[in-house]
């Protein structure tokens, strides 16, 4: 059965249960039993998703997008636009926002923090936010180029990240893209150079960087804002060297080997955690990030603050060194004598 | 794999003669070989093997290979139409190299250089863990000794069979290049046919100086992917070395027969001298 069909079915049952619960003439205990049985079934279904079903979930139209996180987790977001050379790509949104923190965290950071980004009186951290935005409505999707950045987007991101470095603000990047845009203008402005430059410069930034994959991490286009001290993934997000569709076509020589390709690529958060590429998986509400958003945002904020807290008490040089070491050690090979 | 990147199979009617792709002249193979596989009539650049390229580049045709002990494993147990392990074995047999890149040290007109050279015949020059590690080691050596680093690129991109481990090599080699900045040491990239995808968007375009061979296809996305996305035909000469030069993306298009002299000029002007 198709993945989206199952989701529709779940919606229907949830609705029916709601109606049943409102009726006076039915035994409440009985409904509770049905509900529990139903919940177990969904749990079982979602815990046994195939990698390709996870890809579909990661691309789910209702899944929270970058700007939803900006609105839910940060206050007074200011957006900076344009790369100052040739344009503004709206598939990448950049700016700064306030992240309010609990008193306990504030007390911890107060004397140890190495970056001028903590407002002690009001209790918030100033953070740089960089994210890929796919949009939700058709109009928005077109405006956002379906989350596929042009070189101008990567260059804008670099400009803003360098500003964050100058001002001593930590950087949070949110990854959600099918990939960098493949187009004539994109090549003329050197998509390759734009991404490569970001990889190089991000390796040198003297402020903490945390990257979070919230949906689809599409290859080099995702990595272009993804070099970080800490790499996090949502439970049902994916991150891959190539889309399962592309892999199916190129390696499996067929359009319909997407399930096999997705499985072979080891692109789920669980796979990448086991490979040692990511640092932590953030739990999603049952049924995916789009079903109980408050719970999701709470989980995300908690994990982000946990890592920020650790990174913000490290010297800038140390943060840079640790990031270098992290990437220096990625790779699996053999040394024969 | 990457069939669109491969130049049309040379029409070989005889083991001794070859028809030029561009001007259709019938060429004697022995003569072509002496001419570094460049058509003497129209300067069309045929593919040249890694061995021949290094033979022509280094003084007295001498150089030392480094990091030959690094070999690929199969970290994902990847199987598509063939197991990855089998692909590796076949590539080794076909090329008599053990990976898609070689590291070398040698002299170019008396100037010591560390050089990495991709081998497109080995799984499309794709970058996996070993390619990333070898590049990183050669860059680290160059930085430590303050000796110029040269990378000759030819690749379809990241090695899909190693999944995200391959993608992360882009970040790894890019980070390694920052060490050359501390060492005030130049990196010269030479882009040859074809240089695409993850290799293009990391090591290739981070050259302090970027040279390219005439007619080489260079870009992030493959022409077919672009055509499918934008649903229009690409202009003539799109993504060629000449196109990139015109758009300010590279420094120079260099005929292979002049590569050694051109590299020498850049090296002697830019290298760490104290
Ligand atoms: Zn010719």
């Amino acid at each position: 059965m198709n993945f989206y069909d199952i989701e529709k079915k779940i919606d229907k049952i949830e609705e029916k249960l709601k109606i049943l619960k409102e009726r006076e003439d039915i035994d409440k205990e009985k409904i509770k039993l049905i509900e529990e049985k139903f919940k177990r079934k969904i749990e079982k279904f979602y815990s046994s998703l195939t990698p390709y079903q996870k890809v579909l979930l990661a691309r789910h139209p209702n899944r929270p997008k970058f700007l939803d996180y900006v609105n839910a987790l940060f206050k007074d977001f200011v957006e900076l636009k344009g790369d100052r050379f040739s344009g503004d790509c709206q598939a990448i949104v950049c700016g700064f926002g306030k992240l309010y923190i609990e008193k306990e965290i504030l007390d911890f950071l107060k004397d140890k923090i190495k970056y001028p980004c903590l407002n002690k009186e009001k209790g918030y951290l100033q953070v740089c936010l960089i994210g890929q935005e796919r949009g939700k409505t058709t109009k928005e999707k077109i405006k956002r180029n379906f989350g596929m950045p042009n070189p101008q987007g990567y260059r804008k991101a670099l400009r803003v990240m360098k500003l964050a470095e100058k001002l001593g603000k930590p950087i949070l990047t949110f990854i959600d893209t099918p990939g960098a845009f493949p187009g004539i203008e994109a090549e003329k402005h050197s998509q390759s150079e734009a991404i490569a430059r970001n990889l190089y410069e991000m390796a040198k930034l003297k402020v903490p960087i945390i990257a979070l994959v919230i949906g689809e991490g599409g290859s080099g286009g995702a990595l272009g804002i993804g070099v970080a001290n800490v790499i996090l993934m949502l439970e049902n997000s994916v991150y891959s060297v190539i889309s399962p569709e592309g892999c199916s076509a190129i390696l499996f020589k067929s359009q319909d080997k997407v399930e096999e390709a997705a499985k072979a690529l080891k692109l789920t958060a669980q796979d990448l955690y086991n490979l040692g590429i990511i640092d932590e998986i953030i739990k999603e509400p049952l049924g995916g990030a789009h079903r109980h958003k408050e719970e999701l945002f709470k989980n995300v904020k908690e994990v982000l603050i946990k890592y920020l807290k650790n990174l913000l008490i490290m010297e800038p040089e140390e943060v840079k060194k640790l990031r270098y070491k992290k990437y220096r050690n990625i790779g699996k090979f053999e040394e024969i004598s | 794999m990457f069939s669109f990147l491969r130049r049309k199979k040379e029409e070989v009617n005889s083991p001794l003669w070859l028809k030029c792709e561009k001007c259709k002249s019938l060429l004697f193979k022995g003569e072509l070989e002496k001419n570094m596989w460049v058509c003497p009539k129209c300067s069309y650049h045929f593919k040249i093997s890694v061995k021949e390229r290094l033979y022509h580049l280094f003084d007295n045709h001498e150089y030392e290979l480094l990091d030959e002990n690094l070999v690929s494993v199969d970290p994902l147990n990847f199987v598509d139409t063939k197991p990855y392990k089998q692909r590796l074995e076949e590539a080794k047999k076909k090329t008599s190299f053990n990976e898609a890149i070689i590291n070398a040290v040698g002299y170019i007109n008396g100037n010591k250089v560390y050089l990495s050279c991709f081998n497109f015949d080995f799984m499309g020059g794709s970058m996996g863990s070993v390619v990333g590690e070898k590049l990183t080691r050669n860059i680290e050596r160059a930085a430590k000794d303050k000796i110029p680093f040269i990378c000759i690129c030819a690749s379809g991109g990241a090695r899909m069979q190693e999944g995200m481990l391959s993608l992360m090599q882009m970040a790894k080699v890019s980070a390694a290049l920052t060490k050359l900045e501390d060492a005030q040491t130049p990196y010269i990239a030479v882009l040859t046919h074809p240089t695409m995808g993850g290799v293009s968007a990391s090591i290739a375009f981070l050259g302090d100086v970027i040279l390219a061979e005439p007619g080489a296809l260079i870009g992030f996305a493959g022409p077919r992917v672009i055509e499918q996305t934008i649903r229009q035909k690409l202009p003539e000469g799109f993504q060629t070395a000449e196109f990139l030069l015109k758009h300010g993306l590279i420094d120079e298009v260099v005929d292979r027969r002049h590569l050694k002299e051109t590299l020498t000029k850049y090296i002697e002007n830019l290298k760490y001298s104290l």
Side-chain angles (χ1 to χ4, degrees), chain B residues 20-25 27 39-44 46:
Chain B
C20 174
E21 277 288 310
K22 202 168 150 197
C23 71
K24 312 290 175 206
S25 308
L27 305 165
C39 173
K41 304 257 166 59
C42 74
S43 296
Y44 174 81
F46 288 84

Side-chain angles (χ1 to χ4, degrees), chain B residues 58 62-66 103-107 112-115 138:
Chain B
F58 285 112
E62 283 172 7
Y63 55 91
E64 186 191 337
L65 288 178
L66 304 165
N103 279 350
V105 59
Y107 289 82
K112 188 177 176 186
V113 298
Y114 287 107
L115 182 143
N138 228 15

Side-chain angles (χ1 to χ4, degrees), chain B residues 99-271:
Chain B
E99 249 305 328
I101 200 165
I102 58 99
N103 279 350
V105 59
Y107 289 82
I108 294 181
N109 285 320
N111 301 288
K112 188 177 176 186
V113 298
Y114 287 107
L115 182 143
S116 297
C117 183
F118 279 82
N119 189 347
F120 191 74
D121 291 336
F122 195 107
M123 294 191 74
S126 56
M127 178 161 70
S129 296
V130 169
V131 171
E133 179 70 18
K134 280 175 105 171
L135 276 168
T136 303
R137 289 192 187 187
N138 228 15
I139 295 163
E140 284 172 343
R141 273 186 204 109
K144 186 172 156 278
D145 300 350
K146 296 187 191 289
I147 294 297
F149 174 61
I150 296 171
C151 182
I152 300 173
C153 301
S155 172
R159 187 169 296 170
M160 289 175 269
Q161 290 88 346
E162 290 185 27
M164 281 296 290
L165 289 166
S166 295
L167 191 77
M168 290 297 170
Q169 300 308 309
M170 292 170 66
K172 174 167 159 174
V173 300
S174 302
L177 286 171
T178 65
K179 297 285 173 197
L180 291 174
E181 196 169 318
D182 306 331
Q184 296 175 287
T185 294
Y187 158 40
I188 303 172
V190 181
L191 314 188
T192 74
H193 182 80
T195 298
M196 306 298 292
V199 168
S200 171
S202 59
I203 192 82
F205 270 93
L206 288 173
D208 299 313
V209 174
I210 305 179
L211 310 176
E213 280 198 343
L217 189 75
I218 300 158
F220 180 67
R224 225 196 266 163
V225 174
I226 299 174
E227 277 186 343
Q228 279 166 4
T229 308
I230 63 173
R231 297 202 178 88
Q232 69 186 76
K233 264 209 102 36
L234 297 173
E236 183 71 22
F238 183 65
Q239 293 183 313
T240 57
E242 294 76 10
F243 174 92
L244 268 69
L245 182 69
K246 191 178 143 213
H247 285 92
L249 309 182
I250 60 172
D251 293 287
E252 202 175 330
V253 176
V254 184
D255 187 305
R256 190 180 292 152
R257 292 165 293 187
H258 308 308
L259 183 60
K260 182 167 179 174
E261 299 321 309
T262 307
L263 280 172
T264 306
K265 275 193 284 179
Y266 281 108
I267 293 165
E268 290 182 352
N269 272 300
L270 302 177
K271 75 173 180 180

